[in-house]
Amino acid sequence: MKNLIQKYNIPGPRYTSYPTVPFWDKKGISLDHWKQSVVKSFNESNDSEGISLYIHLPYCESLCTFCACHKRITKRHSVEEPYITLVLKEWNLYCDLLKDKPRIREIHLGGGTPTFFSSDNLKMLIDGIFKRAEKFKDFEFSYEGHPNHTSEEQLQTLYDLGSRRNSFGIQDYDPVVQKAIHRVQSFEQVKKVNDLSRKIGYTSISHDLIFGLPFQTEESIRNTIKNTIALKPDRIAYYSYAHVPWIKGVGQRGFDDNDLPKENEKRHLYELGKQLFFDAGYIEIGMDHFALPSDSLYKAMKNKKLHRNFMGYTAGKTQLMIGLGMSSISDSWYAFAQNEKTIEAYTEKINQGILPVFKGHLLTDQDLNLRKHILNLMCNLETNWDVGLTEKIKNDIVNRLQEMIHDGLIEITNDKIIVKEEGRMFIRNICMAFDLKLIENKPETRIFSMTI
Ligand SMILES: C[S@@+](CC[C@H](N)C(=O)[O-])C[C@H]1O[C@@H](n2cnc3c(N)ncnc32)[C@H](O)[C@@H]1O
Ligand code: SF4
């Protein structure tokens, strides 16, 4: 196994989309093409499955030095209201395009820290969204909360607005690790928000943990997982630390590269975590995620209904996902579009009444077919050959996978590719065999984190 890890631990995408963002068309997408693709997707799917909204709330009070997200650090809460006003203006721009009322299947508030915002402002946001929309059946509303900045009032307000699922960033409980990542939060604080969520009636609580952080050891991970299991979250995200200082600059320089666990140690931390989660009754979902069998994510996986998008894994697949707020990515299935990444550029476009898209990609038929295969592999750990690929492309993929067949990671039959249990940890590498954009345009500089 050690040799396989050394062999396959290379930079690679996490496949929350195909094509992955660095390989979107350099020419971008015109605003007209983007709008047309949204309208087409909306007309095809609003009645039958509804749409999803991802809303990016970028503010945090303090900087965690491991963080790879798009965020703005400030203690000035006067930024809240103007930001919500901008997001609602953006939503209105989309609603003006659509002939019917959007039916919302899923809303996710991500960040940054959504619970940076006061209860009143969160209510203003959700009420503002539903002025122009209605709920689709099985409506789901989830959000990310920072345990140090989530009050009972916020939990109650979001519950009253329809949320039944939240996720808390935990990362690690060890004091040495917490100090290095500049994120000190006690078990008591996490227990408090976790217990309050249960008391209020949330039915799915998720905890985010990361392995591969500076100064983590087998013992510290055991302890972090023991604390996590004691609170019995319904879902656990166990992320591989993405060390991307060339993108995140000073934000990821709060510790030295030498403080990070080496690749075998890091993989061991993953294996250890996985075993401890199994022992506690959790089941592995796709990549990075674990869930109790009572949770909807597990049920979706069992029924082959799991979907993966820019928010990660979800049980509620919709063809159209609109991303609102700075840096958000939208997915109309036929195209992707990313919003301006800075508050200033985002504000300027919204105030001019323009959708704040700054780059995007219109998928070709080939992109769409490859996308389906990659999604199948990431969600179901298998894919059928019947999704249209030319004989040449299929043969090239099979050739690229020979080594992995030889290493016992996958099995190829006449009709499908099946990822074996031994191959699960190499899922990103397996998908890379389908990633024609990556193969045809090998990057000259580092753009992805390591696959293992
Ligand atoms: C956008 S953050 C929002 C959570 C919230 N702000 C908090 O800190 O509690 C969502 C999750 O992304 C994960 N994350 C952020 N940076 C990461 C990195 N460099 N590598 C792996 N996971 C990361 C963390 O687990 C984090 O909880
Ligand atoms: S981990 Fe959460 S709180 Fe910390 S900087 Fe990132 S988004 Fe903000």
Side-chain angles (χ1 to χ4, degrees), residues 60-229:
C60 308
E61 286 208 359
S62 125
L63 177 69
C64 311
T65 50
F66 67 90
C67 182
C69 306
H70 289 288
K71 70 268 171 195
R72 266 292 170 103
I73 311 298
T74 181
K75 288 201 163 38
R76 278 192 311 118
H77 283 261
S78 56
V79 294
E80 292 181 26
E81 217 179 305
Y83 186 78
I84 300 281
T85 307
L86 291 170
V87 169
L88 290 175
K89 276 190 189 168
E90 186 186 3
W91 174 234
N92 282 320
L93 291 174
Y94 274 108
C95 292
D96 291 345
L97 279 182
L98 308 171
K99 70 175 172 24
D100 295 322
K101 229 179 187 188
R103 307 171 79 195
I104 301 182
R105 165 76 174 81
E106 187 169 359
I107 297 185
H108 181 72
L109 308 183
T113 303
T115 52
F116 174 96
F117 288 75
S118 71
S119 298
D120 284 350
N121 285 327
L122 290 166
K123 183 164 166 35
M124 175 167 102
L125 172 66
I126 301 301
D127 286 348
I129 295 288
F130 281 107
K131 269 199 188 128
R132 302 282 303 265
E134 58 194 31
K135 288 181 184 164
F136 191 73
K137 68 173 173 359
D138 301 328
F139 168 69
E140 284 192 54
F141 170 20
S142 54
Y143 61 91
E144 293 161 18
H146 189 313
N148 288 354
H149 304 282
T150 304
S151 66
E152 180 166 6
E153 189 197 11
Q154 285 168 312
L155 290 169
Q156 186 66 55
T157 303
L158 289 161
Y159 182 89
D160 293 342
L161 290 166
S163 178
R164 297 292 177 268
R165 176 145 49 82
N166 58 19
S167 80
F168 293 110
I170 313 296
Q171 328 311 348
D172 194 292
Y173 283 108
D174 188 79
V176 176
V177 178
Q178 289 196 355
K179 186 159 174 265
I181 61 174
H182 197 242
R183 186 185 170 105
V184 176
Q185 71 196 11
S186 64
F187 175 73
E188 287 66 34
Q189 186 57 32
V190 177
K191 182 170 178 347
K192 187 173 156 202
V193 291
N194 197 81
D195 291 353
L196 276 171
S197 301
R198 291 270 182 240
K199 191 182 96 189
I200 289 171
Y202 284 85
T203 49
S204 180
I205 301 176
S206 184
H207 286 195
D208 293 347
L209 302 177
I210 303 184
F211 64 93
L213 288 171
F215 303 113
Q216 275 179 340
T217 61
E218 179 175 330
E219 200 191 328
S220 75
I221 280 283
R222 268 186 197 281
N223 197 42
T224 287
I225 292 180
K226 192 174 104 217
N227 282 345
T228 304
I229 288 171

Side-chain angles (χ1 to χ4, degrees), residues 19-20 47 57 63 76 90 103 127 139 197-198 232 250 257 275 296 299 327-328 339 347 362 385 400:
T20 56
D47 284 346
L57 299 174
L63 177 69
R76 278 192 311 118
E90 186 186 3
R103 307 171 79 195
D127 286 348
F139 168 69
S197 301
R198 291 270 182 240
K232 269 232 165 284
V250 282
D257 284 12
Q275 192 55 50
S296 60
K299 291 179 189 154
S327 79
S328 285
N339 279 353
T347 306
L362 201 54
W385 285 122
R400 282 192 285 275

Side-chain angles (χ1 to χ4, degrees), residues 40 51 53-54 83 123 129 133 162 174 179 257 260 265 280-281 285 290 302 361 364 400 418:
K40 175 175 154 70
I51 71 164
L53 285 189
Y54 169 78
Y83 186 78
K123 183 164 166 35
I129 295 288
D174 188 79
K179 186 159 174 265
D257 284 12
L260 299 171
E265 291 161 3
I285 312 283
F290 295 83
K302 253 197 125 212
H361 180 88
T364 61
R400 282 192 285 275
I418 303 160

Side-chain angles (χ1 to χ4, degrees), residues 306-343:
L306 200 62
H307 183 59
R308 184 167 171 83
N309 57 25
F310 291 100
M311 299 184 263
Y313 285 105
T314 168
K317 178 187 176 301
T318 63
Q319 183 173 301
L320 176 61
M321 184 184 84
I322 295 180
L324 303 175
M326 71 159 240
S327 79
S328 285
I329 301 183
S330 301
D331 175 358
S332 67
W333 186 252
Y334 304 107
F336 298 119
Q338 181 166 30
N339 279 353
E340 292 288 355
K341 288 199 215 169
T342 65
I343 279 284

Side-chain angles (χ1 to χ4, degrees), residues 266-370:
K266 184 174 177 188
R267 206 56 220 177
H268 176 63
L269 297 180
Y270 172 72
E271 290 297 322
L272 174 67
K274 180 170 156 169
Q275 192 55 50
L276 294 171
F277 297 137
F278 284 171
D279 294 347
Y282 288 87
I283 292 159
E284 192 167 20
I285 312 283
M287 185 182 93
D288 301 336
H289 287 71
F290 295 83
L292 289 175
S294 49
D295 192 81
S296 60
L297 207 58
Y298 170 73
K299 291 179 189 154
M301 179 185 78
K302 253 197 125 212
N303 302 328
K304 296 213 182 309
K305 289 269 171 5
L306 200 62
H307 183 59
R308 184 167 171 83
N309 57 25
F310 291 100
M311 299 184 263
Y313 285 105
T314 168
K317 178 187 176 301
T318 63
Q319 183 173 301
L320 176 61
M321 184 184 84
I322 295 180
L324 303 175
M326 71 159 240
S327 79
S328 285
I329 301 183
S330 301
D331 175 358
S332 67
W333 186 252
Y334 304 107
F336 298 119
Q338 181 166 30
N339 279 353
E340 292 288 355
K341 288 199 215 169
T342 65
I343 279 284
E344 294 73 16
Y346 174 76
T347 306
E348 198 179 314
K349 285 209 175 146
I350 297 282
N351 284 338
Q352 288 169 10
I354 303 172
L355 283 181
V357 169
F358 101 101
K359 69 173 178 182
H361 180 88
L362 201 54
L363 280 84
T364 61
D365 287 345
Q366 187 185 81
D367 291 341
L368 278 168
N369 288 333
L370 292 168

